[in-house]
Amino acid sequence: MTRPRTHDVVIAGGGLFGLVLAEQLATRTAVRVMVVEHAHHLGGLCWSRRDPRTGVEYSPYGTHVVATSDDRVWEWITNRVRMVPYQHTVHAAVSDRLVPLPLGLEAVEAAYGRPMSPDEARATVEADAAPYRERPADSVRDLALAQVGERLYETFVRGYVTAQWGADPAQLSPEVFAERFGISYAPSRGYRPDARWQGLPCGSYSTLIDPLADHERIEVHLGRDYLDVPRPRYRRLMVVTTPIDIHFGLQLGPLQRRSLHVDWKLVEAEKAQRVPVVTFPDGTSGHYRSHAPALLPWNHGQEPTGEVLVGFEAAGPGPNQIDFVLRTPPNTELAAKYRQLVATGGDVLLVGRGTTFYDDMSATIGHALALADRLVPDLT
Ligand SMILES: Cc1cc2nc3c(=O)[nH]c(=O)nc-3n(C[C@H](O)[C@H](O)[C@H](O)COP(=O)(O)OP(=O)(O)OC[C@H]3O[C@@H](n4cnc5c(N)ncnc54)[C@H](O)[C@@H]3O)c2cc1C
């Protein structure tokens, strides 16, 4: 007997992309939507929970902060949840100092070991970078050397990139540097200095995520892999937000991936870090980043007492594992070939983190809203 197609749209993956889209389709059309998520929680990486030992709200996959300059995205978020304004800063541990990132005046001073004016810092870095500007910047290493010179590259970039991506910076596409680093010569203004809005959903990510699927025409299946047989059946459309090569049964070969994981431990308060996120760019620590969520505003920014929850982020498989596709030239080529397998005008769309190398939450929400705009007229 053929199983009935009970839903108009099936969405594979209940991460941020899948849920924003599900909510938009359910509220702007009359379609019935099924969300199939293989984890036992919604939200994908954009997820937080309460640690039962300390009562601290934390993001198991590592600190996630919303930063956007997109009016529509900010309006969409703040219509759903109260946001706590929060100017996040990641610090790098360099020679027993905590240096605010992204690279700014403090980083230049730390790398060269002396105080400088912004003009002096610029002149020093430019002189260091000038010899590297004569060759093409087609890797992280070459772009970083051309933009910030050898001293800053060696102090802040090389070890960190090698540890996080598990690859020599000379093998990684330059976008990895362009998207995550950059330099200014003013004192640091934090994580995303150009974003018009930054913050955290009040209390937890659940306050944003859970209500998205709470609609009479959205059915959620947790703990289910959409590739398992029997596959979910749909009347109109399937939207896949999960890895593109796995969707196609690896028929062109696997995209090269890197795993990282976050191991959450209790640390004596006196030994715990005093800022929310620290990176270790010397590449010699067993972990390259650590997170102390008790210092985030949804835990009232309180000073930790007693034992403190700290997440140690390291390369390789482990608890709270994240797999991501390495941005290398061969991977970019293979991903493009996979995208060509998606039939134009067909009834399966591949979107979200599974098809891109990196989108932040703002871009993810923006793309999901734009896709809904495109689909709604046909589904109405
Ligand atoms: C380490 C790290 C830190 C980050 N920090 C920030 C930050 O501070 N600020 C920011 O804006 N962005 C940050 N991001 C980016 C942010 O996590 C993404 O923008 C967002 O998670 C993308 O959502 P998505 O739905 O596309 O992907 P995902 O969150 O990956 O969701 C995909 C979902 O599909 C599910 N799935 C996979 N395979 C299957 C299957 N076969 N069947 C069913 N379900 C399946 C997964 O379980 C997952 O829930 C960070 C990303 C990483 C990796």
Side-chain angles (χ1 to χ4, degrees):
M1 195 183 76
T2 317
R3 286 177 302 115
R5 296 167 191 258
T6 52
H7 291 77
D8 303 288
V9 179
V10 168
I11 298 178
L16 189 59
F17 197 113
L19 293 174
V20 173
L21 184 66
E23 182 232 36
Q24 290 288 301
L25 298 185
T27 54
R28 292 167 62 184
T29 73
V31 297
R32 285 170 53 77
V33 181
M34 181 196 286
V35 176
V36 184
E37 166 55 55
H38 80 168
H40 289 275
H41 64 85
L42 284 173
L45 301 183
C46 175
W47 176 49
S48 68
R49 66 195 291 251
R50 197 157 287 277
D51 174 56
R53 299 163 297 182
T54 56
V56 158
E57 186 75 20
Y58 72 110
S59 294
Y61 298 110
T63 310
H64 271 62
V65 176
V66 177
T68 188
S69 297
D70 184 322
D71 294 287
R72 186 181 187 196
V73 167
W74 188 244
E75 193 185 326
W76 180 88
I77 295 172
T78 50
N79 279 342
R80 279 151 190 81
V81 70
R82 189 164 77 78
M83 291 295 285
V84 181
Y86 169 55
Q87 295 289 322
H88 184 52
T89 300
V90 175
H91 288 81
V94 172
S95 319
D96 294 332
R97 294 174 56 173
L98 287 177
V99 179
L101 298 176
L103 301 177
L105 182 61
E106 300 87 343
V108 181
E109 290 177 333
Y112 290 89
R114 62 176 195 276
M116 291 187 204
S117 68
D119 285 346
E120 191 188 350
R122 180 187 296 275
T124 306
V125 172
E126 291 280 313
D128 198 354
Y132 298 101
R133 294 195 174 148
E134 279 147 30
R135 61 186 188 210
D138 49 14
S139 70
V140 166
R141 183 197 61 193
D142 292 345
L143 182 63
L145 287 169
Q147 287 198 357
V148 302
E150 192 168 354
R151 186 76 70 95
L152 284 167
Y153 172 71
E154 288 295 334
T155 311
F156 289 98
V157 182
R158 188 170 63 81
Y160 179 74
V161 169
T162 306
Q164 182 169 24
W165 277 268
D168 182 337
Q171 309 301 324
L172 290 168
S173 300
E175 291 87 349
V176 171
F177 180 80
E179 286 165 1
R180 289 174 176 76
F181 291 88
I183 184 159
S184 89
Y185 298 100
S188 171
R189 290 189 296 121
Y191 166 62
R192 293 280 296 272
D194 299 328
R196 280 162 66 199
W197 301 286
Q198 286 185 58
L200 288 167
C202 186
S204 71
Y205 272 100
S206 308
T207 58
L208 173 65
I209 292 297
D210 294 350
L212 297 178
D214 188 10
H215 189 283
E216 58 184 1
R217 285 194 301 280
I218 300 179
E219 188 176 302
V220 173
H221 292 245
L222 289 178
R224 179 172 170 193
D225 187 328
Y226 80 100
L227 292 167
D228 283 350
V229 181
R231 295 252 184 125
R233 290 163 62 83
Y234 53 92
R235 287 199 192 99
R236 311 279 296 273
L237 185 68
M238 173 137 190
V239 182
V240 177
T241 72
T242 64
I244 192 166
D245 54 338
I246 296 174
H247 175 76
F248 285 111
L250 305 180
Q251 60 177 275
L252 304 177
L255 289 163
Q256 195 195 351
R257 288 196 163 70
R258 173 78 170 150
S259 298
L260 57 88
H261 68 275
V262 189
D263 200 1
W264 292 92
K265 294 182 178 161
L266 292 179
V267 172
E268 285 172 43
E270 308 81 68
K271 294 187 182 154
Q273 63 197 61
R274 298 275 178 234
V275 292
V277 179
V278 180
T279 68
F280 299 89
D282 67 0
T284 57
S285 322
H287 51 274
Y288 59 79
R289 189 152 56 190
S290 61
H291 307 258
L295 300 169
L296 294 175
W298 58 26
N299 294 307
H300 314 295
Q302 78 264 31
E303 275 292 300
T305 53
E307 289 194 307
V308 178
L309 184 70
V310 178
F312 295 95
E313 186 174 333
N320 305 300
Q321 186 171 322
I322 303 170
D323 297 325
F324 59 93
V325 175
L326 282 178
R327 198 193 274 258
T328 58
N331 257 353
T332 305
E333 210 175 294
L334 185 56
K337 285 186 184 153
Y338 270 114
R339 278 195 292 276
Q340 283 167 8
L341 296 181
V342 183
T344 314
D347 60 2
V348 179
L349 297 175
L350 282 100
V351 294
R353 202 170 79 85
T355 54
T356 54
F357 289 102
Y358 183 84
D359 274 338
D360 66 7
M361 292 185 283
S362 170
T364 301
I365 294 169
H367 291 152
L369 294 175
L371 179 60
D373 292 344
R374 190 151 70 78
L375 296 177
V376 162
D378 284 344
L379 293 171
T380 308

